[in-house]
């Protein structure tokens, strides 16, 4: 069997980091982890071609070669995913689709003409798909019906199918599931509240595979909550640290974790020893009442500022998610987020309006209340208004959102937070093995220095802060300077937000004016 694996196009978003990764000659931040795992689960006697359409487009020769086409994607890839289904049918191919988007909403893929829907976790449903093909079947829907995959049996993803040079970081998965039940999140719904973890041997084997392929750039642990099972993660880290030391700390690690990471000193120390360099945490809002309302209770156990500063001091760069538009939110939420971000010196605040994802508790509640605006799920990103009627005027939300985004990523503000963050950071107790960087990294450094230290009005700030870092915390200077590259992306993206949110607002208000029931709901709210 010849299988063409296609990863659909992503819409431009905060997470694309386009302008930053262009500096080092990469095209995409992360690879399609789902598809290379699918390729590993399917029979290894089959032939595979993988095309990430964010790297390059497939050719006619690829379509002619394939017996079966498999497409997988997230909700933000919906438009191109549906396009690929139609294109596959025009080529007369059997088309199978899986992944988070169609697992949540399968109807549109069916309407587009898909032959096979491989839903839920592939370890369970892909073997059933293989059996159907062996029986000569040409269509089917395969579901797990509540069964959870045993991830200790998941094979090593087929990293060899990737065009490695196109990516700025690789992906590895350790666990699935999250013990918390935040109202707006679909992870516990999809993967359960009891995190299932791979064995340390599995993770080390995946890292060794990347190492053998010559990978020496960052690796992102893609778990939605890396520390969801603290006991198991500590066992992993205790084995990962010696592996890293033996291999000369070949790639820095990053991940996502809940903010209760700050409550566990041992866990922080183990992550540093295992060469973790950054962590994304979901703060959402500094308002504890809103956190309680959205069931994010884990963020109310200790002062948020203390937690962020502790993680930073331990040696991890903090990325943090923030949301505007929560129910009961009072005016000025944007300013409160700015104040919090500046007080904690978080360099990379991820800021967006609240979106109700399909099949979450928030989605169900808003639908029951008649406040949900369905049909525009593919546009969920930082240039999207809420897809429901909020509890305060949408015009007010939009204005605060644009102003906050614009302020957070003013060059002076970003460089100031970056400086304070790294000045406060404890250096790692070891040094990675010295490897001669590629020429393009020297070139990227020169561009950063030229733009921030000479061309822009940040020139005096840039040099003063750089010399201060070199004097007071010299061991972090490489990480500090490399993070300047992200400013190139943020400057472009804040302009996109500034331009597109008002346009979205005008369309939203026009549609709202034509829908009397929603106007009545807004008035009642």
């Amino acid at each position: 069997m010849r299988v063409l694996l296609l990863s659909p196009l992503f819409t431009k978003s905060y997470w694309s980091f386009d302008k930053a990764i262009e500096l080092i000659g990469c095209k995409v931040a992360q690879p399609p982890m789902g598809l290379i795992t699918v390729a590993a689960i399917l029979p290894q006697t089959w032939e595979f071609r993988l095309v990430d359409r964010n790297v390059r487009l497939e050719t006619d020769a690829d379509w002619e070669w394939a017996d079966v086409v498999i497409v997988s994607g997230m909700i933000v890839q919906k438009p191109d995913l549906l396009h690929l289904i139609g294109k596959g049918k025009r080529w007369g191919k059997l088309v199978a689709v899986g992944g988070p988007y169609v697992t949540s909403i399968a109807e549109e893929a069916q309407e587009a003409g898909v032959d096979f829907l491989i839903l839920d976790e592939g370890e369970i449903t892909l073997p059933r798909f293989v059996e159907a093909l062996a029986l000569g079947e040409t269509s089917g829907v395969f579901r797990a019906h509540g069964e959870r995959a045993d991830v200790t049996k998941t094979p090593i993803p087929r990293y060899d199918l990737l065009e490695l040079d196109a990516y700025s970081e690789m992906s590895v998965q350790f666990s699935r599931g999250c013990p918390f039940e935040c109202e707006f999140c679909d992870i516990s719904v999809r993967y359960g509240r009891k995190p299932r973890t791979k064995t340390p041997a599995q993770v080390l084997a995946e890292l060794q595979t990347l190492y053998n392929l010559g990978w020496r750039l960052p690796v992102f642990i893609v778990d939605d909550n890396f520390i969801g099972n603290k006991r198991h993660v500590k066992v992993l880290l205790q084995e990962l640290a010696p592996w890293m030391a033996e291999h000369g700390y070949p790639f820095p690690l990053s991940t996502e974790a809940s903010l209760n990471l700050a409550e566990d000193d041992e866990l922080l120390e183990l992550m540093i020893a295992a060469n973790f360099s950054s962590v994304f945490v979901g703060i959402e809002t500094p308002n504890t009442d809103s956190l309680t309302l959205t069931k994010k209770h884990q963020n109310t156990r200790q002062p948020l500022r203390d937690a962020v500063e502790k993680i930073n001091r331990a040696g991890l760069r903090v990325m943090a998610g923030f949301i505007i538009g929560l129910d009961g939110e009072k005016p000025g939420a944007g300013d409160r987020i700015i104040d919090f971000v500046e007080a904690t010196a978080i360099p990379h605040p991820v800021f967006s309006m609240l979106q109700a994802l399909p099949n979450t508790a928030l989605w169900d509640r808003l639908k029951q209340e008649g406040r949900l605006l369905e049909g525009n799920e593919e546009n969920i990103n930082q240039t999207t208004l809420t897809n429901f009627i909020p509890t305060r005027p949408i015009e007010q939300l939009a204005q605060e959102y644009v102003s906050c985004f614009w302020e957070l990523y003013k060059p002076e503000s970003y460089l100031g937070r970056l400086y304070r963050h790294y000045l406060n950071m404890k250096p790692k107790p070891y040094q990675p093995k010295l490897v001669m960087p590629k020429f393009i990294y020297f070139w990227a450094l020169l561009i950063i220095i030229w733009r921030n230290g000479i061309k822009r009005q940040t020139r005096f700030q840039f040099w003063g802060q750089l010399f201060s870092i070199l004097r007071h915390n010299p061991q972090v200077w490489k990480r500090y300077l490399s993070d300047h590259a992200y400013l190139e992306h943020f400057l472009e993206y804040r302009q996109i937000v500034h331009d597109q949110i008002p346009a979205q607002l005008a369309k939203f208000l026009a549609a709202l004016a034509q829908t009397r029931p929603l106007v009545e709901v807004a008035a009642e709210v």
Side-chain angles (χ1 to χ4, degrees):
M1 188 72 69
R2 295 190 297 270
V3 181
L4 177 62
L5 302 157
L6 295 177
S7 180
L9 291 168
F10 280 96
T11 55
K12 193 177 185 68
S13 76
Y14 178 101
W15 293 103
S16 59
F17 298 127
D18 300 332
K19 294 299 181 182
I21 63 177
E22 282 176 11
L23 291 176
I24 56 172
C26 297
K27 296 181 179 179
V28 191
Q30 296 174 12
M33 184 69 178
L35 281 175
I36 58 175
T37 304
V38 166
I41 295 171
L42 291 173
Q44 296 305 289
T45 54
W46 291 8
E47 297 179 58
F48 300 97
R49 285 187 189 178
L50 185 146
V51 178
D52 183 348
R53 285 168 58 83
N54 301 280
V55 175
R56 68 171 180 88
L57 299 181
E58 73 283 358
T59 64
D60 286 354
D62 292 323
W63 286 104
E64 290 172 354
W65 171 86
D67 297 318
V68 174
V69 176
I70 297 180
V71 187
S72 178
M74 295 183 282
I75 199 165
V76 293
Q77 296 170 284
K78 168 185 167 180
D80 199 46
L81 182 145
L82 297 177
H83 161 74
L84 289 173
I85 293 173
K87 188 173 182 179
K89 296 316 298 174
R90 289 192 295 273
W91 274 92
K93 304 296 180 179
L94 287 175
V95 179
V97 176
Y101 162 57
V102 293
T103 293
S104 295
I105 305 174
E107 292 79 11
E108 289 173 306
Q110 291 173 315
E111 292 170 3
V114 70
D115 300 301
F116 296 98
L117 284 169
I118 310 170
L119 309 179
D120 303 313
E121 296 183 83
E123 290 89 345
I124 297 170
T125 53
L126 280 167
R128 299 171 188 173
F129 165 68
V130 173
E131 290 174 8
L133 288 179
L135 293 172
E137 296 178 14
T138 57
S139 65
V141 178
F142 309 100
R143 300 225 64 151
H145 300 295
E147 184 182 356
R148 303 291 187 194
D150 180 358
V151 296
T152 64
K153 298 179 181 178
T154 302
I156 297 173
R158 290 289 304 273
Y159 294 108
D160 58 296
L161 296 174
L162 298 170
E163 299 177 36
L164 291 175
D165 291 341
Y167 301 96
S168 61
E169 61 182 355
M170 276 293 111
S171 300
V172 168
Q173 186 180 62
F174 171 60
S175 70
R176 292 183 202 160
C178 179
F180 305 115
E181 48 182 348
C182 306
E183 187 187 38
F184 53 80
C185 183
D186 63 350
I187 297 306
S188 59
V189 176
R190 184 179 299 139
Y191 298 121
R193 292 189 60 194
K194 184 178 180 181
R196 292 159 287 138
T197 64
K198 293 180 179 178
T199 65
Q202 282 177 281
V203 176
L204 295 184
E206 293 182 21
L207 293 174
Q208 186 67 50
T209 299
L210 288 171
Y211 184 87
N212 294 343
L213 288 170
W215 185 258
R216 296 296 183 273
L217 292 178
V219 171
F220 184 64
I221 308 296
V222 300
D223 302 15
D224 297 285
N225 187 358
F226 178 63
I227 65 168
N229 187 323
K230 285 188 176 183
R231 184 169 64 87
H232 284 194
V233 82
K234 287 179 180 180
V235 173
L236 167 68
L237 294 172
Q238 287 164 355
E239 297 194 29
L240 180 54
W243 185 93
M244 279 287 181
E246 180 184 342
H247 290 76
Y249 302 96
F251 20 73
L253 304 176
S254 59
T255 192
E256 300 179 39
S258 45
L259 197 58
N260 60 325
L261 168 64
E263 300 172 11
D264 196 321
D265 293 341
E266 180 190 15
L267 185 51
L268 280 169
E269 291 174 6
L270 287 170
M271 288 180 70
I272 295 299
N275 205 29
F276 276 81
S277 62
S278 66
V279 61
F280 175 90
V281 295
I283 292 175
E284 322 314 349
T285 174
N287 187 304
T288 53
D289 290 339
S290 294
L291 289 172
T292 300
L293 182 63
T294 197
K295 298 184 180 180
K296 197 154 183 110
H297 304 295
Q298 66 271 26
N299 281 14
T300 63
R301 296 174 183 169
Q302 60 179 321
L304 293 173
R305 180 172 176 175
D306 292 351
V308 171
E309 290 176 347
K310 184 176 181 179
I311 295 170
N312 173 209
R313 283 196 305 273
L316 297 174
R317 186 195 70 194
V318 178
M319 295 182 68
F322 293 91
I323 293 173
I324 192 171
L326 295 163
D327 278 6
E329 188 176 71
K330 294 179 174 60
D335 291 336
R336 290 191 291 274
I337 289 174
I338 292 173
D339 292 343
F340 181 85
V341 169
E342 287 297 325
T344 52
I346 296 172
H348 299 173
V350 183
F351 186 48
S352 61
M353 290 199 198
L354 180 62
Q355 301 290 329
L357 294 175
N359 302 322
T360 58
L362 177 64
W363 175 279
D364 294 337
R365 176 170 68 80
L366 293 172
K367 192 168 186 177
Q368 186 176 7
E369 294 173 0
R371 297 167 55 196
L372 194 63
L373 305 174
E374 299 183 64
N376 200 31
E377 292 82 20
E378 72 271 18
N379 294 321
I380 293 178
N381 56 55
Q382 283 73 27
T383 58
T384 308
L385 298 174
T386 58
N387 59 346
F388 61 92
I389 304 298
T391 57
R392 60 188 179 114
I394 189 65
E395 301 94 325
Q396 188 182 85
L397 270 181
Q399 182 180 6
E400 284 189 20
Y401 177 66
V402 172
S403 297
C404 185
F405 214 107
W406 191 261
E407 182 66 29
L408 285 173
Y409 286 113
K410 285 170 57 176
E412 298 83 0
S413 300
Y414 176 73
L415 293 187
R417 294 196 305 272
L418 193 65
Y419 164 70
R420 298 195 305 277
H421 204 69
Y422 275 97
L423 193 65
N424 189 47
M425 183 180 289
K426 181 181 178 181
K428 290 184 177 180
Y430 50 82
Q431 287 294 325
K433 181 180 178 181
L434 185 62
V435 178
M436 180 60 67
K438 297 179 181 178
F439 172 77
I440 197 167
Y441 294 105
F442 290 110
W443 184 247
L445 179 60
L446 290 175
I447 292 174
I448 289 170
I449 292 173
W450 164 253
R451 291 177 180 173
N452 294 320
I454 299 174
K455 183 180 178 181
R456 293 183 180 132
Q457 293 181 352
T458 55
R459 61 184 72 90
F460 296 112
Q461 179 186 8
F462 172 82
W463 291 111
Q465 291 172 350
L466 176 58
F467 286 130
S468 179
I469 287 287
L470 292 173
R471 179 182 178 184
H472 298 291
N473 201 3
Q475 289 178 268
V476 304
W477 75 269
K478 291 180 183 178
R479 295 172 62 189
Y480 168 71
L481 268 182
S482 66
D483 271 3
H484 281 71
Y486 289 102
L487 180 59
E488 307 309 313
H489 173 67
F490 298 145
L491 288 178
E492 179 191 42
Y493 206 77
R494 77 171 188 154
Q495 188 65 53
I496 292 173
V497 169
H498 183 272
D499 295 342
Q500 292 190 13
I501 287 294
Q504 290 272 337
L505 180 62
K507 290 171 62 177
F508 180 88
L509 293 176
L512 200 62
Q514 297 174 6
T515 314
R516 178 169 179 154
L518 292 179
V519 174
E520 293 172 355
V521 169
E524 291 171 8
V525 170

